[in-house]
Amino acid sequence: MRNRIFLRLIRRDTKEVFRKNLIFIVFLIIFLFMENMNLRNTFTDMGYSVKDIGIFDFYVYLFRGMKVYTPEIGGRFEIEMDWLILQIFPVLIVISYLKRDLYQMGYQTLIKAGSRKLWWNEKCLWICEFVLMIYGIIYAFGFINYYGCRNTINKSLWEESYGIIFKNCSHMDFIMMFVISQILNAMFMTLFISLISITVNEIIAIVVCVFINVITLYYTTPYLLGNNTMILRNSICIMGKININHCYITYCILVVLAIVIGNIYIEKCDFRNAETRTRE
């Protein structure tokens, strides 16, 4: 019975989150379209042709992040909004749905299944699936938009514009930069902020999410894991920057830790009183 409920919950959550948050998906498509236009405008202004831009150039532009900020006298700290939006987007969708579900359908599921942990474990798996779907949309947009165009990175373009050097990058390096680090960071951040949203509240969770990402833009350190998603701070492309190869075990440990803490909280949570306060 529990396995059937588990699978039914995943299917229901996947369907409901897209149905109730369709406006966010439309926003994502618009955001990607604008990023694509900015990419083309930036490099056509430098004298390059649109034909010089390919699918992987789009991914580099999207995941480029921000150059290392060095505080100086009169130096200005400007937030890289493109990167920030990409980081908080899946978090906003998930936490807007998560706690509301806990005290509605999720509460009934806990009663029927007789297991408090079932709800949180299902949500963790669903969050990972949802992140994969969001990034699937991102990768599909680039593939569809640049289908038939060049399928290699225009290395001279990026070296001239941002000082990014791809000469020594292997295929595995590209997979790590464009796929693995992006998805693992999004999974961890979404799980972590979701945990805060159900243990504290949604507003504080959003504030924490924005704060962590802004601090990440300011400080270049591997301990702020968002730095690992920025190509402009990657030692593979920029000499002397962050080596992202050490972050993957950390991501996995933190994801497991978030799941365990969530299970402990769910076991001790007083759902009846919490449900009453929520309705009031």
Side-chain angles (χ1 to χ4, degrees):
M1 178 181 175
R2 291 184 181 181
N3 290 337
R4 289 200 302 271
I5 292 175
F6 194 86
L7 295 174
R8 195 183 310 131
L9 273 174
I10 292 177
R11 289 195 297 268
R12 182 186 68 88
D13 287 340
T14 302
K15 178 181 177 181
E16 288 295 304
V17 77
F18 279 102
R19 185 177 68 84
K20 294 182 179 179
N21 296 280
L22 184 60
I23 186 67
F24 284 99
I25 306 303
V26 173
F27 172 80
L28 175 62
I29 301 299
I30 294 173
F31 169 75
L32 294 174
F33 178 78
M34 293 178 64
E35 285 292 279
N36 183 54
M37 293 302 297
N38 290 336
L39 167 65
R40 296 189 176 193
N41 291 336
T42 298
F43 294 122
T44 52
D45 290 344
M46 293 173 59
Y48 288 92
S49 168
V50 173
K51 295 181 180 179
D52 295 325
I53 304 172
I55 179 173
F56 291 104
D57 295 309
F58 172 73
Y59 296 145
V60 174
Y61 186 79
L62 190 63
F63 301 133
R64 70 193 187 281
M66 177 177 160
K67 291 184 178 180
V68 173
Y69 172 67
T70 305
E72 298 174 354
I73 299 175
R76 243 177 111 187
F77 172 66
E78 295 182 358
I79 295 175
E80 182 61 52
M81 290 303 299
D82 298 349
W83 180 86
L84 185 62
I85 290 172
L86 199 60
Q87 300 306 307
I88 67 175
F89 178 78
V91 174
L92 290 177
I93 297 180
V94 168
I95 66 175
S96 68
Y97 173 80
L98 195 63
K99 197 163 186 177
R100 182 175 66 248
D101 176 80
L102 174 58
Y103 295 114
Q104 294 176 10
M105 181 62 186
Y107 180 64
Q108 296 302 317
T109 301
L110 291 171
I111 296 174
K112 291 178 182 178
S115 172
R116 290 171 172 260
K117 295 179 179 179
L118 178 70
W119 181 87
W120 174 245
N121 290 332
E122 180 274 329
K123 285 298 179 287
C124 290
L125 182 59
W126 166 73
I127 287 171
C128 293
E129 177 202 13
F130 177 74
V131 168
L132 287 173
M133 293 176 71
I134 290 297
Y135 276 83
I137 293 173
I138 292 171
Y139 298 131
F141 178 91
F143 178 80
I144 293 170
N145 198 53
Y146 287 95
Y147 180 77
C149 299
R150 60 180 294 153
N151 57 4
T152 57
I153 293 176
N154 191 329
K155 297 180 180 179
S156 62
L157 183 152
W158 292 105
E159 187 171 353
E160 178 184 346
S161 58
Y162 285 94
I164 299 175
I165 301 174
F166 289 110
K167 291 180 180 178
N168 299 320
C169 293
S170 65
H171 292 299
M172 183 55 66
D173 289 332
F174 288 127
I175 292 173
M176 291 295 187
M177 285 189 292
F178 295 154
V179 181
I180 305 299
S181 63
Q182 308 297 330
I183 291 176
L184 282 179
N185 184 75
M187 284 182 178
F188 162 67
M189 184 58 69
T190 307
L191 278 170
F192 175 64
I193 300 302
S194 297
L195 181 61
I196 295 176
S197 74
I198 66 170
T199 55
V200 187
N201 66 57
E202 297 91 330
I203 302 299
I204 291 178
I206 293 172
V207 171
V208 170
C209 179
V210 174
F211 176 77
I212 289 175
N213 283 296
V214 171
I215 291 297
T216 299
L217 289 169
Y218 189 89
Y219 292 106
T220 304
T221 169
Y223 299 109
L224 291 169
L225 295 176
N227 279 291
N228 300 302
T229 67
M230 301 186 205
I231 294 176
L232 284 170
R233 300 187 182 183
N234 193 323
S235 62
I236 297 174
C237 309
I238 308 288
M239 292 298 294
K241 304 309 176 189
I242 294 175
N243 187 341
I244 68 170
N245 294 325
H246 303 303
C247 73
Y248 302 112
I249 295 177
T250 304
Y251 278 128
C252 295
I253 292 173
L254 291 175
V255 166
V256 172
L257 188 61
I259 294 172
V260 170
I261 293 173
N263 276 314
I264 294 173
Y265 170 78
I266 289 293
E267 280 293 319
K268 296 182 178 180
C269 182
D270 186 351
F271 285 104
R272 294 184 179 180
N273 290 337
E275 182 187 24
T276 303
R277 290 194 299 271
T278 302
R279 289 176 177 175
E280 293 174 353

